[in-house]
Amino acid sequence: MNSPNALCFGEEFPATGVPCHVEVSPSGLTVRFQDDARGLGELSLSFSTVSVSAGGLDHDQLVLRWGLTSQVQTLYLKDPAVIRAFRSAAPPVLTKHLDETAATVRRVRSRNRTVWAFMVAVIGGLVLAVWFSTDVLVGWAVDRIPVEWEKRLGQSAYQDFLVQQTVMKEGASVAAVHEISQRLLEHILDNPYTFEISVVKNDVVNAFALPGGYVVVFTGLLEQAKSGEEVAGVLSHEFNHVLERHGLERIVKQLGVVAVIGIILGDQQGLAGVMKQVGVELLSLKFGRAQETEADVTGLQLLHRARIDPDGMITFFQRMSEQEQGRVEWLSTHPMSTARAERLKKEMALLSKTVPEPFTFQWETVQASAGAVRR
Amino acid sequence: MKSEILYPGAFPMARVELTAGEAIKAESGAMVASSPTIDVESKMEGGFLGALSRKFLTGEKFFFQTLRASRGPGEVLLAPTVPGEIVMMELDGVNEYMVQKDGFLAGDEMIKLDSQMQSLSRGLLGGEGFFILKVSGKGTLLLNSFGAIHKIELKPDQEYIVDNSHLVAWSGTTSYNIERAASGWVASFTSGEGFVCRFRGPGVVYIQSRNPGGFGAWVRQFIPVSE
Ligand SMILES: [Zn+2]
């Protein structure tokens, strides 16, 4: 018994059809049924008794019908070899109609292909536009993302991160970080964000800011810093990544393609999945050089407005770059260079001279509090 | 592979027995428990691009998992994410089924899964996304639904109209057209009344008695909106 290559349907047949094997001969077809329970066994059909059409989901199946109107039986052929054999053996009267159907199917297919090709071209064009887009396009897109949305994105990553960490709730180091932050925040103009700053027990020398104003400072950074002004330099820089929406710029740039396709197709489920993925990657986000320069310059200006000695920023950057080795993680996202320090010095020279206002805390106390963590 | 459905009804679970070396394909995340002899191999069904496009265009999970009894015979317990029935069907090698993206739970290793791109209008209006799963080959197939599964049998040329969001699977011998449910296209778009499929037999159509989107909307009205 050959394996079934067709399905037979009829009044008393199951809706899924009965599998059968079809063979084409010069005079007609032989249909063999696998299970003989129905007493069907073998069926011979001459070409003159069948009518032909195309059927199935994609109109790619050959449909043969025969019998009286009340007892019509239908055969669905899908196997290309059998369909070819049928078309070459059957008389032209039968296949003429089939050829017309085939032509229609081909027309529909080619139209579908054209539509798809058009869609792909449009999407591709947009993808390219975004891919090669200048910062102008990214900026345009970022401008359209509501701050609320950005906050939610940053907040979820922030909370996910803090869950795995020990957050310091009180002590001199927390108070100092808050005093520094407060001084800076008071001097930010048109601030749409409510900054949240956490001090995390960890001797890694690092600090980072998530979109929406969620900032983390590690105790390791406080230990390495020689003054509140140095910490203020790092914080001012990080705050400006947030204010300039650098995180969103990176995300839009990286996700350009996928996001655009998602938006075009209105596929929110897919987009939500992508966004979830982004949440994870936010923590390892690396900014571009232009963004770093921007954060340096605007950070310096903020320090200046807040009357915090901007020298701290530069000395800290330089000292950290000299250390090079060790666990200065901040350096991995902020490569230090003489060019960077030079640039900062030049910017500083442009600022008007002001008398810095010192912080109220004793730096030694802060460091002791941060360092006590380890002991 | 020998399977049985435990606790039939709203919260069923499928138990699949595997002989040594035997494997099944399952939706990733469907596995609840297994014998220690079962290994999980993550394979990208339909190639990397297929998997990628499925993920991005349909929001579907990236992988199907292959669960193999590589260290001796054992059993696997599988369950879908949503409450609803599981049905088991035997594929005969000739019948093919189109399965909506969330409808596939598991299947014999010999079963072939292809993501099939739909025509643009079906993809845009059908609500199943641009890709549906084409399941063919010979072996056992487990489908799951949201709510109960209802089977509609269609004789040749018999027609039936089904709301898109209730579709689970349908045989390849049926053809269907998307039609608007409301009285006009504009009304369809604005009223949110979805589209319907007009199926034409022969073949079977499996539908689910609940609509995930509708349920989601119903739940959403109780979720307080934060300022
Ligand atoms: Zn930076």
Side-chain angles (χ1 to χ4, degrees):
Chain A
M1 174 82 209
N2 288 307
S3 61
N5 59 6
L7 288 166
C8 189
F9 297 89
E11 261 315 306
E12 67 282 11
F13 286 51
T16 45
V18 176
C20 55
H21 182 81
V22 172
E23 240 174 63
V24 182
S25 71
S27 61
L29 314 122
T30 317
V31 185
R32 284 193 196 86
F33 291 92
Q34 204 156 19
D35 77 277
D36 232 10
R38 279 163 231 277
L40 294 166
E42 194 173 303
L43 202 66
S44 284
L45 298 167
S46 79
F47 286 127
S48 60
T49 59
V50 297
S51 71
V52 177
S53 60
L57 195 59
D58 295 317
H59 299 282
D60 55 354
Q61 308 197 27
L62 185 67
V63 183
L64 304 176
R65 273 161 222 266
W66 68 93
L68 300 165
T69 27
S70 58
Q71 288 286 305
V72 184
Q73 294 193 326
T74 316
L75 202 60
Y76 272 71
L77 298 174
K78 199 175 166 92
D79 189 342
V82 181
I83 295 176
R84 257 198 314 278
F86 180 88
R87 292 183 64 174
S88 62
V93 201
L94 272 185
T95 48
K96 180 175 173 285
H97 171 63
L98 196 62
D99 289 338
E100 283 164 12
T101 315
T104 314
V105 171
R106 269 198 299 275
R107 257 205 308 283
V108 171
R109 280 219 190 119
S110 92
R111 199 186 59 203
N112 275 346
R113 261 202 299 274
T114 317
V115 173
W116 271 111
F118 178 73
M119 281 295 284
V120 168
V122 169
I123 293 173
L126 282 167
V127 166
L128 282 184
V130 173
W131 197 256
F132 291 108
S133 66
T134 49
D135 300 333
V136 179
L137 203 63
V138 171
W140 181 87
V142 166
D143 282 349
R144 262 143 203 82
I145 297 172
V147 171
E148 259 323 300
W149 188 92
E150 186 182 3
K151 280 183 188 164
R152 228 171 299 148
L153 187 71
Q155 194 181 29
S156 70
Y158 181 63
Q159 284 164 351
D160 284 352
F161 177 78
L162 289 188
V163 161
Q164 311 154 17
Q165 306 290 332
T166 319
V167 181
M168 294 191 68
K169 292 268 179 269
E170 51 199 4
S173 50
V174 175
V177 167
H178 282 157
E179 186 185 330
I180 297 168
S181 306
Q182 218 38 53
R183 274 278 285 281
L184 290 168
L185 293 175
E186 273 163 17
H187 292 89
I188 294 172
L189 319 162
D190 303 324
N191 179 8
Y193 304 98
T194 331
F195 279 82
E196 251 185 64
I197 298 113
S198 288
V199 181
V200 160
K201 281 187 191 179
N202 198 323
D203 29 334
V204 164
V205 183
N206 201 0
F208 63 83
L210 293 166
Y214 301 92
V215 185
V216 173
V217 182
F218 294 87
T219 46
L221 183 109
L222 301 178
E223 277 189 86
Q224 287 294 318
K226 290 249 169 17
S227 69
E229 280 73 13
E230 292 193 358
V231 177
V234 173
L235 281 179
S236 184
H237 173 99
E238 292 298 333
F239 284 2
N240 278 286
H241 276 313
V242 173
L243 295 169
E244 303 290 337
R245 307 186 94 181
H246 286 158
L248 275 192
E249 283 178 15
R250 293 309 280 184
I251 294 167
V252 169
K253 227 175 200 166
Q254 276 173 21
L255 283 186
V257 186
V258 178
V260 165
I261 292 177
I263 290 159
I264 290 173
L265 300 181
D267 181 5
Q268 295 177 332
Q269 227 187 332
L271 207 60
V274 167
M275 281 309 154
K276 228 171 166 179
Q277 190 66 34
V278 169
V280 178
E281 283 166 14
L282 274 181
L283 295 175
S284 57
L285 206 59
K286 209 170 162 178
F287 297 114
R289 209 157 63 183
Q291 291 177 325
E292 289 303 341
T293 309
E294 195 177 11
D296 280 353
V297 173
T298 50
L300 200 67
Q301 287 162 353
L302 177 58
L303 288 172
H304 182 251
R305 277 203 305 279
R307 288 177 180 256
I308 300 172
D309 189 357
D311 253 344
M313 188 181 196
I314 297 170
T315 49
F316 183 71
F317 283 11
Q318 275 179 329
R319 213 176 55 250
M320 287 302 111
S321 64
E322 280 156 17
Q323 279 200 351
E324 209 62 68
Q325 31 52 304
R327 304 187 63 192
V328 186
E329 253 180 35
W330 204 67
L331 286 178
S332 71
T333 50
H334 292 85
M336 221 34 70
S337 65
T338 39
R340 189 169 183 177
E342 286 307 309
R343 157 120 220 185
L344 276 172
K345 278 183 191 151
K346 225 185 266 167
E347 286 295 331
M348 208 166 89
L350 294 176
L351 297 170
S352 60
K353 283 270 173 284
T354 50
V355 184
E357 278 176 39
F359 291 112
T360 58
F361 48 77
Q362 283 289 305
W363 189 244
E364 292 70 31
T365 326
V366 174
Q367 277 199 311
S369 144
V373 172
R374 272 191 296 162
R375 283 180 289 268
Chain B
M1 146 180 195
K2 230 175 71 190
S3 20
E4 69 173 314
I5 292 162
L6 309 172
Y7 323 112
F11 301 101
M13 189 154 71
R15 195 171 79 97
V16 181
E17 267 177 48
L18 298 173
T19 57
E22 220 178 5
I24 55 164
K25 290 172 183 170
E27 184 217 8
S28 53
M31 192 171 80
V32 175
S34 80
S35 310
T37 50
I38 310 288
D39 282 336
V40 180
E41 306 164 4
S42 271
K43 242 196 300 201
M44 282 171 281
E45 199 67 40
F48 180 72
L49 275 182
L52 199 71
S53 54
R54 268 206 308 278
K55 179 175 164 74
F56 288 136
L57 297 179
T58 70
E60 199 195 313
K61 299 191 182 87
F62 214 130
F63 299 105
F64 292 111
Q65 291 176 329
T66 301
L67 309 175
R68 189 179 298 282
S70 43
R71 283 173 284 112
E75 66 168 38
V76 185
L77 297 179
L78 301 165
T81 323
V82 293
E85 248 186 296
I86 302 178
V87 290
M88 181 161 53
M89 34 201 296
E90 270 316 306
L91 297 198
D92 53 20
V94 196
N95 265 299
E96 289 175 349
Y97 290 89
M98 305 298 153
V99 179
Q100 166 265 100
K101 62 182 191 234
D102 298 319
F104 175 83
L105 182 66
D108 217 289
E109 195 191 10
M110 300 310 288
I111 277 178
K112 221 177 127 210
L113 304 171
D114 289 306
S115 357
Q116 187 144 354
M117 208 193 248
Q118 305 219 69
S119 75
L120 198 62
S121 58
R122 280 179 184 165
L124 271 178
L125 307 177
E128 307 105 30
F130 287 89
F131 290 83
I132 47 174
L133 218 52
K134 188 169 99 178
V135 183
S136 56
K138 208 168 166 157
T140 310
L141 172 67
L142 295 172
L143 297 179
N144 71 266
S145 64
F146 186 49
I149 290 195
H150 177 68
K151 180 182 183 182
I152 299 167
E153 305 198 330
L154 298 176
K155 297 283 176 212
D157 291 335
Q158 191 187 342
E159 290 190 348
Y160 216 87
I161 295 171
V162 178
D163 184 301
N164 281 320
S165 44
H166 286 267
L167 275 176
V168 177
W170 56 97
S171 39
T173 49
T174 59
S175 59
Y176 72 90
N177 285 315
I178 306 273
E179 293 177 5
R180 55 188 191 244
S183 54
W185 286 104
V186 176
S188 291
F189 278 117
T190 50
S191 70
E193 270 300 311
F195 296 86
V196 292
C197 293
R198 181 187 288 267
F199 278 91
R200 173 187 274 256
V204 290
V205 179
Y206 290 90
I207 60 171
Q208 51 195 4
S209 63
R210 293 292 181 275
N211 155 7
F215 182 71
W218 182 79
V219 168
R220 259 194 298 283
Q221 65 178 327
F222 299 112
I223 299 174
V225 185
S226 58
E227 19 58 85

